[in-house]
Amino acid sequence: MQSCEISSDSTDDPLSSGLRTHRQPRIVVIGAGLAGLAATKILLKNGFTDVTVLEASDHIGGRVQSVQLGKATLELGATWIHGANGNPVYHLAEDNGLLEHTTDGERSEGRISLYTKNGVAHYQTNAGRRIPKDLVEEFSDLYNEVYELTQEFFQNGKPVCAESQNSVGVFTRDVVRKKIMLDPDDPECTKKLKLSMLQQYLKVESCESSSPSMDEVSLSEFGEWTEIPGAHYVIPEGFMKVVELLAQDIPSRTLSLSKPVRCIHWNYSAKHQQAIAQSSHTHQGNNHNEYYHGCQPREDPLIFGHPIYVECQDEEWIPADHVIVTSSLGVLKQNHEAMFSPSLPEEKVLAIEKLGISTTDKIFLEYEEPFWSPECNSIQFVWEDEALLEQLVYPEELWYKKICSFDVLYPPERYGYMLSGWICGQEALQMERCDDETVAETCTELLRRFTGNPNIPKPWRVLRSSWGSNPFIRGSYSFTRVGSSGEDCERLAMPLPYANSTKAPVRQPLHRIIKTHLKYLTLV
């Protein structure tokens, strides 16, 4: 989320239309994550009083999940405020003192790579040896040089050659490999080591993009998502504090938890009236249905001003003039056919299908004592046998090979002795299916193998995320897949019904009142 602006200069918006003389427009917001809460907060601030928020889970926050563990607050979801200059999330946190205790290790300038902090990353091979620091730095400079090239296709309008398959992964592997192989100063063993490091770097990049593989990320669009200027910040008390600030002025009566939505009847037709009539007899005591208790549900709802009905899984039907849908792309991919009646227009369906979303999970391992050296800030896993592979596809039992690294959480005074591992794609879903004991044993064997230290103990506590299997989330965050573009995001955000639609009366779209820049915010 970057910003929310209000515009009320239109003479035909709901505040100044004929609707205002009879009643406030009824607005239903689906989802109580950052997008849903921010939209609700702005609506209430600007005089809309009839707002209902429906949240499928039993808590607010969406993909923000801060867990208190002793003195530490661990983030299973959103972790950083990306950029300060003009970022409303940064200003909200700064103005409310949430960044007062952020350490230098939790503040980073420039491009981040998962956790960034003081210290040295230890690149370890599966043979248990550490790659020399100067070799790591040499390869890192080469990789970053090619990374800058990937940004130029969108930013400078460079044409994409057919050989790249319009894929960040294919392009990066091809260019980096050529540069490595053409280096006359490196012996063959060094070249192989650098090729292995390339695969590890692409795993890290996949975690950052939340894609199964960088081969799926669009090269022509990769440079579109630019960072907000300024440093990146971790909130010591947890990102959930931002959620609480957004929610603090939202009345409790506005928010309904554990309220999954079955279907949004956004272009209401007569065939649904009988179902509503039957539902009203069994749910007359429900507060939402009391809103229109006394009306004749069999009448055309457009006459009394409700062109939309939200059908919930508990059989309640909630009338609305506008609906803001902030469901994740993962939920839309799985449920859009059943979730919207009538079906969404073809261009919206294509946008949902073309854009990508995958799972990036964290694995926290807590120890009584550190087995890593004081200057070590992360342990990076480099598989030497993967140097020449084109695609990294693993059988289910080898899911752990997708873990790209374990980061040391600083400062120890706050976090104790804690490592945070990263895994993405289908392998993350395999990890989610394992129990804690299996994950602890697997990670221990992995750490022993790569560090060459057979005495590393099992962690005494494991905590991990499970965004892929969460039925109300279905993925960590979205990416621009090969064949998609930022225009697909714009298509998803376009309100329905369209202005030129002949299927329903044209109503003033809510986006004239709440102009948003929220990814995948669908307005109905």
Side-chain angles (χ1 to χ4, degrees):
M1 183 178 69
Q2 293 185 341
S3 67
C4 291
E5 302 171 341
I6 301 300
S7 173
S8 58
D9 53 359
S10 174
T11 58
D12 60 345
D13 63 46
L15 287 177
S16 55
S17 68
L19 194 61
R20 183 185 179 188
T21 61
H22 299 97
R23 60 173 174 82
Q24 277 271 335
R26 184 160 217 209
I27 304 165
V28 173
V29 179
I30 297 177
L34 288 177
L37 293 175
T40 302
K41 187 180 180 75
I42 287 180
L43 289 169
L44 295 173
K45 182 180 178 181
N46 284 268
F48 291 86
T49 58
D50 195 353
V51 182
T52 299
V53 183
L54 305 179
E55 168 56 45
S57 69
D58 60 2
H59 61 276
I60 63 174
R63 281 165 281 185
V64 176
Q65 190 176 0
S66 305
V67 177
Q68 196 69 31
L69 208 61
K71 296 180 180 179
T73 301
L74 302 179
E75 303 287 13
L76 292 178
T79 303
W80 293 274
I81 299 175
H82 290 295
N85 300 350
N87 187 337
V89 179
Y90 167 79
H91 293 299
L92 186 64
E94 177 69 13
D95 293 345
N96 288 275
L98 300 184
L99 304 178
E100 289 181 1
H101 301 292
T102 302
T103 65
D104 289 341
E106 296 166 319
R107 182 186 301 108
S108 172
E109 297 282 352
R111 181 171 180 252
I112 68 166
S113 179
L114 304 181
Y115 279 102
T116 55
K117 57 199 101 43
N118 297 327
V120 179
H122 286 207
Y123 283 78
Q124 305 282 153
T125 73
N126 54 302
R129 64 190 182 101
R130 182 182 172 188
I131 300 174
K133 182 182 176 183
D134 58 345
L135 182 57
V136 172
E137 292 176 346
E138 184 180 319
F139 173 79
S140 181
D141 289 341
L142 169 60
Y143 180 87
N144 289 332
E145 175 186 323
V146 177
Y147 176 86
E148 293 301 320
L149 295 179
T150 66
Q151 305 296 290
E152 294 180 1
F153 291 93
F154 180 85
Q155 294 174 359
N156 299 337
K158 287 177 59 176
V160 176
C161 63
E163 290 79 5
S164 73
Q165 301 176 42
N166 195 25
S167 159
V168 173
V170 173
F171 173 84
T172 302
R173 264 199 313 275
D174 182 55
V175 175
V176 173
R177 281 177 174 174
K178 286 179 179 177
K179 289 179 177 292
I180 290 173
M181 299 309 293
L182 292 175
D183 191 335
D185 298 326
D186 281 346
E188 289 302 312
C189 60
T190 299
K191 290 179 179 180
K192 183 180 178 182
L193 203 52
K194 287 183 177 180
L195 292 173
S196 301
M197 291 178 65
L198 169 61
Q199 302 285 34
Q200 194 274 340
Y201 269 57
L202 288 173
K203 289 180 187 179
V204 172
E205 205 75 65
S206 295
C207 284
E208 291 195 340
S209 294
S210 196
S211 61
S213 163
M214 293 308 292
D215 290 10
E216 295 193 24
V217 179
S218 172
L219 178 62
S220 60
E221 303 295 318
F222 194 48
E224 179 175 11
W225 307 109
T226 56
E227 293 182 350
I228 297 174
H232 308 274
Y233 293 84
V234 173
I235 302 173
E237 293 183 80
F239 216 103
M240 197 65 189
K241 291 296 181 181
V242 172
V243 174
E244 293 169 1
L245 286 171
L246 287 174
Q248 67 182 5
D249 295 325
I250 298 176
S252 58
R253 68 179 183 277
T254 298
L255 183 61
S256 294
L257 299 178
S258 301
K259 195 76 170 177
V261 169
R262 176 180 293 148
C263 183
I264 302 165
H265 302 274
W266 62 272
N267 202 349
Y268 190 80
S269 61
K271 67 180 181 180
H272 298 116
Q273 293 175 25
Q274 185 176 359
I276 290 182
Q278 294 171 349
S279 177
S280 67
H281 291 305
T282 58
H283 294 280
Q284 287 183 0
N286 191 294
N287 287 336
H288 293 300
N289 287 327
E290 284 176 358
Y291 181 91
Y292 61 99
H293 182 63
C295 296
Q296 295 296 319
R298 291 180 183 272
E299 295 176 3
D300 185 350
L302 295 179
I303 295 176
F304 57 87
H306 291 129
I308 308 167
Y309 278 85
V310 179
E311 179 187 357
C312 300
Q313 288 189 12
D314 62 5
E315 307 299 335
E316 181 183 2
W317 288 56
I318 301 173
D321 299 295
H322 303 280
V323 176
I324 302 178
V325 183
T326 68
S327 305
S328 77
L329 180 62
V331 169
L332 291 177
K333 279 182 176 290
Q334 180 164 319
N335 298 334
H336 74 83
E337 290 183 357
M339 191 175 178
F340 296 93
S341 178
S343 300
L344 291 173
E346 182 180 3
E347 58 268 32
K348 282 193 182 289
V349 173
L350 287 175
I352 291 170
E353 292 174 347
K354 289 194 296 182
L355 288 164
I357 186 169
S358 183
T359 300
T360 293
D361 278 326
K362 301 176 187 176
I363 306 171
F364 291 99
L365 306 178
E366 187 174 14
Y367 297 88
E368 293 187 37
E369 297 291 336
F371 61 80
W372 52 90
S373 57
E375 89 286 349
C376 175
N377 68 26
S378 65
I379 301 169
Q380 310 284 331
F381 298 143
V382 179
W383 294 86
E384 293 187 75
D385 56 349
E386 294 180 350
L388 299 177
L389 296 180
E390 291 301 318
Q391 292 186 331
L392 302 179
V393 180
Y394 304 111
E396 291 186 9
E397 67 273 13
L398 298 182
W399 60 266
Y400 57 85
K401 296 193 74 172
K402 196 65 171 290
I403 298 176
C404 60
S405 65
F406 274 95
D407 296 304
V408 179
L409 270 61
Y410 284 130
E413 294 78 19
R414 177 184 300 147
Y415 294 103
Y417 305 113
M418 188 88 64
L419 297 179
S420 174
W422 298 84
I423 186 171
C424 64
Q426 191 63 33
E427 292 78 10
L429 296 178
Q430 295 297 336
M431 182 276 296
E432 292 181 15
R433 298 187 186 105
C434 299
D435 57 34
D436 282 354
E437 182 66 18
T438 299
V439 172
E441 290 179 354
T442 302
C443 291
T444 300
E445 289 304 312
L446 201 60
L447 288 164
R448 288 172 178 172
R449 178 175 185 175
F450 277 81
T451 62
N453 179 1
N455 299 316
I456 292 177
K458 284 175 59 176
W460 68 282
R461 182 152 44 188
V462 174
L463 181 68
R464 56 209 169 102
S465 59
S466 55
W467 297 113
S469 55
N470 185 321
F472 305 131
I473 302 294
R474 298 294 181 191
S476 297
Y477 42 93
S478 54
F479 65 95
T480 312
R481 193 162 58 184
V482 173
S484 66
S485 70
E487 292 180 359
D488 292 308
C489 302
E490 297 298 325
R491 291 187 185 98
L492 279 185
M494 190 177 296
L496 293 173
Y498 296 140
N500 60 355
S501 172
T502 58
K503 296 180 180 180
V506 177
R507 289 182 167 270
Q508 172 63 27
L510 195 62
H511 74 306
R512 287 201 188 176
I513 305 303
I514 173 172
K515 294 181 178 178
T516 68
H517 299 277
L518 305 173
K519 280 181 92 172
Y520 312 119
L521 175 63
T522 304
L523 300 182
V524 181

